[in-house]
């Protein structure tokens, strides 16, 4: 038996630990929700491309820490297609992590690689930029995308491999005990993301595969929750969150949504609201806020003169998006 195989087998663990990942769409989770989920570790989205930083980093950390999360890592959704862009995005990730979460060197920083046309060489460049700044590195992708990458080439440049392969159809709730008969048989997997709807909370759920996965979560990067947090209610920041006259809660978030199907653009965030028009697949909507109510997640589009358009971007019940976000 080779030394390398022996090392790989020694890493395998028998005790499994639940890990969740958190982005702006989980900003409505309460401390009680986190307690009910019962995860021990979380991976928080920091940034995307070079023009988006998650506005809810602080509250996601504070509430999840109050709800039992004891260790954190952080991730960046990559949109680069060459080495120069990879360096720019890695530096954007590092700077945003420092500014918004006081992330220290030695922390696990992960590349989320799920777009087409991302070269292996650029993945390596991104990870090496993180390492040069003193961070531990992780690589995340979906199993069906693995043929797009040279995993053997990437492996020496990453400290953790996080692989997504869902047992159930997107949006179907899963419990905390995945069926390992369906484990994605791929080399080097430390963390398996097996659902996008853990326990019905519309949060991605992963399970640790190796001791390495646990060791890389650094509890020191999880600032203690604010002492005055009411643990029965979500934190509401009046500067970024408000309730409109219909009773719907909105959150500031600037971004671009590109549809992948026909959608109505409406004068209000209701399916009964008057339509402005019907947009074809590939339509690009710049938005400044979102709200999850009814059966959908809605985006608000500024249209000038104080007017707004509204479009449903996601099924709130299943989590299925109707396009991509940037």
């Amino acid at each position: 038996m080779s030394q390398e195989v022996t090392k790989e087998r020694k890493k395998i663990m028998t005790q499994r630990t639940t890990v969740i990942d958190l982005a702006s769409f989980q900003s409505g989770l309460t401390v009680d929700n986190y307690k009910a989920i019962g995860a021990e570790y979380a991976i928080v989205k920091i940034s995307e491309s070079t023009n988006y930083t998650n506005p809810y980093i602080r509250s996601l950390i504070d509430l999840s820490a109050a709800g039992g999360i004891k260790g954190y890592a952080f991730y960046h959704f990559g949109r680069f297609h060459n080495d120069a862009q990879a360096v720019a995005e890695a530096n954007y990730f590092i700077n945003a992590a420092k500014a918004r979460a006081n992330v220290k060197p030695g922390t696990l920083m992960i590349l989320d690689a799920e777009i087409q046309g991302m070269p292996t060489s650029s993945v390596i460049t991104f990870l090496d930029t993180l390492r040069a700044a003193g961070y531990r590195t992780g690589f995340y992708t979906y199993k069906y995308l693995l043929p797009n990458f040279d995993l053997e080439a990437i492996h020496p440049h990453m400290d953790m491999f996080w692989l997504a392969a869902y047992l159930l159809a997107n949006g179907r709730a899963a419990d905390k005990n995945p069926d390992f008969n369906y484990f994605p048989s791929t080399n080097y997997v430390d963390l398996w993301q097996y659902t996008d709807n853990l326990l019905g909370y519309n949060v991605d759920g992963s399970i640790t595969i190796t001791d390495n996965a646990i060791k890389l979560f650094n509890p020191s990067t999880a600032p203690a929750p604010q002492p005055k947090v009411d643990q029965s209610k979500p934190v509401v920041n009046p500067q970024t969150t408000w309730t409109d006259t219909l009773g719907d809660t909105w959150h500031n978030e600037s971004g671009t949504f590109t549809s992948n199907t026909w959608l109505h653009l409406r004068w209000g965030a209701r399916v009964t609201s008057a339509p402005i028009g019907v947009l074809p697949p590939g339509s690009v909507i710049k938005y400044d806020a979102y709200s999850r109510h009814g059966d959908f997640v809605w985006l608000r589009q500024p249209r000038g003169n104080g007017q707004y358009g509204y479009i449903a971007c996601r099924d709130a019940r299943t989590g299925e998006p109707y396009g991509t976000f940037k």
Side-chain angles (χ1 to χ4, degrees):
M1 181 180 295
S2 69
Q3 288 185 346
E4 192 62 32
V5 171
T6 301
K7 289 178 181 178
E8 285 299 312
R9 290 190 176 178
K10 283 183 178 178
K11 289 199 308 178
I12 300 299
M13 61 188 297
T14 55
Q15 183 176 355
R16 308 297 179 189
T17 301
T18 301
V19 180
I20 57 176
D21 50 290
L22 304 172
S24 60
F25 284 110
Q26 284 75 50
S27 62
L29 292 177
T30 67
V31 172
D32 286 341
N33 292 153
Y34 287 112
K35 289 179 177 179
I37 292 169
E40 294 187 47
Y41 301 97
I43 304 172
V44 180
K45 181 176 182 178
I46 293 288
S47 52
E48 184 170 334
S49 188
T50 56
N51 57 11
Y52 173 80
T53 300
N54 177 7
Y56 299 101
I57 296 167
R58 182 75 268 152
S59 63
L60 288 169
I61 292 173
D62 288 345
L63 288 171
S64 62
I69 297 296
K70 64 182 184 181
Y72 292 80
F74 302 91
Y75 78 93
H76 171 89
F77 189 102
R79 291 197 174 275
F80 51 82
H81 292 94
N82 58 53
D83 292 3
Q85 291 174 347
V87 172
E89 290 198 25
N91 286 325
Y92 184 85
F93 180 26
I94 292 166
N95 292 334
K98 288 179 178 178
R100 299 298 299 275
N102 194 29
V103 176
K104 303 295 186 183
T107 303
L108 177 60
M109 302 273 275
I110 300 167
L111 169 63
D112 180 346
E114 53 182 286
I115 67 166
Q116 297 292 333
M118 181 179 286
T120 289
S121 65
S122 300
V123 169
I124 292 171
T125 296
F126 183 98
L127 297 176
D128 285 351
T129 303
L130 297 181
R131 276 192 173 174
Y135 296 96
R136 307 301 292 272
T137 58
F139 177 62
Y140 166 93
T141 194
Y142 287 88
K143 185 179 180 182
Y144 76 87
L145 291 174
L146 277 178
N148 296 346
F149 302 103
D150 183 344
L151 186 60
E152 293 298 326
I154 295 171
H155 180 237
H157 303 267
M158 63 179 173
D159 297 296
M160 189 190 78
F161 182 31
W162 180 21
L163 185 65
Y166 297 161
L167 299 175
L168 305 174
N170 285 0
R172 287 187 59 191
D175 63 24
K176 293 167 67 176
N177 299 292
D179 186 346
F180 273 84
N181 289 317
Y182 295 92
F183 176 73
S185 55
T186 303
N187 290 335
Y188 313 124
V189 178
D190 292 298
L191 187 63
W192 173 26
Q193 185 185 86
Y194 64 92
T195 179
D196 63 351
N197 190 10
L198 182 62
L199 300 177
Y201 284 95
N202 290 315
V203 60
D204 295 339
S206 299
I207 194 122
T208 54
I209 304 301
T210 67
D211 289 322
N212 182 54
I214 295 299
K215 292 176 181 176
L216 288 169
F217 284 94
N218 183 355
S220 67
T221 65
Q226 298 298 317
K228 294 184 180 180
V229 169
D230 181 345
Q231 296 190 4
S232 67
K233 300 178 181 179
V235 169
V236 177
N237 184 336
Q239 295 181 336
T240 61
T241 303
W242 70 95
T243 301
D244 65 16
T245 57
L246 296 176
D248 300 321
T249 300
W250 288 85
H251 308 272
N252 279 336
E253 181 178 284
S254 296
T256 302
F257 170 74
T258 304
S259 65
N260 60 15
T261 188
W262 292 88
L263 294 171
H264 281 91
L265 181 67
R266 300 179 182 275
W267 286 114
R270 289 284 193 278
V271 294
T272 54
S273 298
I276 298 172
V278 181
L279 304 184
S283 297
V284 177
I285 296 290
K286 293 186 180 297
Y287 63 93
D288 67 354
Y290 78 89
S291 175
R292 182 189 296 268
H293 61 265
D295 293 334
F296 301 97
V297 177
W298 295 85
L299 301 177
R300 187 178 78 168
Q301 177 203 44
R303 297 181 63 82
N305 298 320
Q307 295 184 317
Y308 297 93
Y310 299 86
I311 193 167
C313 69
R314 186 184 293 269
D315 187 319
R317 300 161 299 180
T318 67
E320 178 189 4
Y322 303 137
T324 58
F325 300 86
K326 182 177 180 180

